[in-house]
Amino acid sequence: MVLIRKAQIWDIAESKVTSEKNYWNRRQFLKTLAGAGMVASIAPLTGCSSLGGIGKSTAETALENSLKLPTIDSFSKNPAFNKLQKTITDEKIAGQYNNFYEFGGTKNIWLNAQKLPTENWQVAVTGLVKNPRTYDIDQLKKEFSLEQRIYRFRCVEAWSMVLPWIGFPMKQLIAAVEPSSKAKYVSFTSFYDPEITKGPGFHLGSLPWPYTEGLRIEEMANELAFFALGIYGHDLPKQHGAPLRMVIPWKYGFKGAKSIVKIEFVETQPATYWNTIDAREYDFEANVNPDKPHPRWSQATEKFISTGPGLSWEIKETLPYNGYGEYVASLYS
Ligand SMILES: Nc1nc2c(c(=O)[nH]1)N[C@H]1C(S)=C(S)[C@@H](COP(=O)(O)O)O[C@H]1N2
Ligand SMILES: [Mo]
């Protein structure tokens, strides 16, 4: 059965899709939002303010600019994982329906995320490795072989997309830095500077910033685990986690930390952002699993967000491991 429902992109953000943020909504978030005047500041960013009634809205132009990025010219296309996908999510929809809590607690943080400073970015690869190394983005693009992979993407909030990432398999980085036999886990840290991300945002003092995520080293070595440097043929826009993010397609979206500055090989399971906030709701493993409901909602189906204009979705059945069981189920047997 396929149900189609249409909504405005700003309707879905808070009321229609169950959100990680609801956790904070219920506790202290609304209070904070009201205090920061955020409710009032959202409206002009989301769409309808057209200039003098003609031409594109300022938001539309800003969105297009945020997606106009240097193209990546040499990458191969790897169709090995395509068989479950028919439609790719529209680029503008994907580019204005994001989770990036450093820049705010709603789905429409794409404009605020343009504050992320991506110049002279460096990624430190450290810890239990033979060859620790700090890479800049050009080095990553040169030293690893870039490919496009069209992956299903499933957020724990029960919405999903299909996205054409460009990047390289994480196992190539493992080969380059040569972890020691003591390395059992890998910790990934996102950019965080409260001076830059402040503004409409999600900045309760108790949150465990910076955003961190973690994998077992065998998970990182799996063929599917991917570092994305691009999407839709060009560099990553800031709202998608420029200039480097994790993509782990068989796990819920929160496992894919954005705007990575540090990758550390460690001996024991590292603390991670959502797991520290609430381990019951966001377990470390976080494999997509339709049979294991989130404590507050079912994971049996998902809202697949595909085409524009405007936001629409189809209800689809959620697949174990998001459809990638043949590649990853053996990691969990
Ligand atoms: N640093 C950071 N990474 C993050 C998040 C975040 O808030 N901060 N949100 C996560 C969640 S919950 C999801 S669903 C995806 C969303 O990625 P997208 O906005 O590119 O679709 O990013 C993940 N990575
Ligand atoms: Mo998510």
Side-chain angles (χ1 to χ4, degrees):
M1 184 182 64
V2 172
L3 294 173
I4 309 234
R5 191 190 179 293
K6 296 242 174 211
Q8 300 294 345
I9 201 152
W10 49 87
D11 288 338
I12 188 181
E14 302 318 315
S15 55
K16 301 292 195 294
V17 172
T18 315
S19 161
E20 279 126 323
K21 201 209 70 193
N22 286 353
Y23 178 87
W24 291 100
N25 241 333
R26 285 181 301 144
R27 288 166 172 77
Q28 29 190 335
F29 190 74
L30 275 182
K31 206 169 64 195
T32 313
L33 270 187
M38 184 176 165
V39 174
S41 73
I42 288 168
L45 310 188
T46 49
C48 299
S49 56
S50 61
L51 279 172
I54 43 156
K56 284 186 177 132
S57 71
T58 48
E60 177 76 355
T61 307
L63 176 65
E64 279 173 7
N65 289 339
S66 84
L67 303 176
K68 244 181 242 156
L69 291 155
T71 54
I72 298 181
D73 357 86
S74 61
F75 60 88
S76 60
K77 293 192 176 169
N78 184 341
F81 317 105
N82 286 5
K83 67 172 181 251
L84 290 160
Q85 295 118 201
K86 295 192 189 80
T87 326
I88 293 179
T89 299
D90 177 78
E91 177 173 12
K92 282 193 200 168
I93 297 288
Q96 61 181 316
Y97 190 83
N98 303 95
N99 275 336
F100 204 163
Y101 285 88
E102 290 87 333
F103 294 97
T106 61
K107 291 288 168 291
N108 55 350
I109 50 66
W110 61 269
L111 188 49
N112 199 33
Q114 304 315 307
K115 289 189 217 156
L116 177 77
T118 52
E119 300 287 295
N120 305 316
W121 195 272
Q122 302 219 304
V123 185
V125 188
T126 68
L128 303 169
V129 294
K130 197 168 144 205
N131 315 312
R133 169 95 187 265
T134 296
Y135 291 90
D136 64 34
I137 296 302
D138 283 342
Q139 288 167 333
L140 290 174
K141 283 181 173 168
K142 272 193 214 111
E143 294 182 29
F144 299 102
S145 33
L146 300 186
E147 52 182 84
Q148 174 175 278
R149 292 195 182 181
I150 301 173
Y151 274 162
R152 297 156 60 88
F153 181 90
R154 171 61 156 83
C155 173
V156 70
E157 297 162 341
W159 52 270
S160 66
M161 297 185 179
V162 170
L163 300 170
W165 304 105
I166 299 169
F168 59 94
M170 287 188 173
K171 65 179 188 183
Q172 290 184 12
L173 182 74
I174 297 179
V177 299
E178 298 183 58
S180 79
S181 58
K182 274 191 167 168
K184 300 281 188 285
Y185 290 87
V186 188
S187 165
F188 303 81
T189 306
S190 295
F191 172 87
Y192 188 62
D193 180 342
E195 276 307 302
I196 288 169
T197 58
K198 77 178 180 209
F202 198 67
H203 304 291
L204 304 171
S206 56
L207 291 176
W209 300 117
Y211 196 100
T212 47
E213 257 309 332
L215 295 172
R216 277 166 41 207
I217 197 163
E218 297 82 8
E219 294 177 318
M220 183 180 179
N222 184 271
E223 177 61 36
L224 290 176
F226 202 64
F227 281 120
L229 292 154
I231 191 169
Y232 298 101
H234 52 64
D235 285 356
L236 277 181
K238 296 181 181 191
Q239 58 267 43
H240 282 302
L244 177 76
R245 71 167 293 164
M246 308 165 66
V247 182
I248 313 294
W250 72 96
K251 294 181 181 284
Y252 292 119
F254 69 86
K255 293 297 292 184
K258 296 179 166 183
S259 305
I260 299 288
V261 294
K262 189 167 114 185
I263 300 165
E264 188 175 6
F265 290 76
V266 295
E267 205 168 343
T268 54
Q269 184 179 305
T272 61
Y273 179 83
W274 286 108
N275 188 253
T276 302
I277 291 175
D278 191 331
R280 239 182 96 245
E281 301 212 347
Y282 311 107
D283 63 309
F284 182 84
E285 195 166 88
N287 292 328
V288 176
N289 184 350
D291 299 325
K292 185 178 166 203
H294 184 275
R296 291 184 284 119
W297 57 84
S298 164
Q299 294 291 24
T301 59
E302 62 201 50
K303 290 164 174 156
F304 173 61
I305 298 170
S306 53
T307 49
L311 185 68
S312 64
W313 64 78
E314 287 170 38
I315 305 295
K316 287 193 172 174
E317 278 182 18
T318 290
L319 302 173
Y321 301 109
N322 203 21
Y324 297 106
E326 67 179 283
Y327 304 100
V328 298
S330 63
L331 286 168
Y332 308 101
S333 54

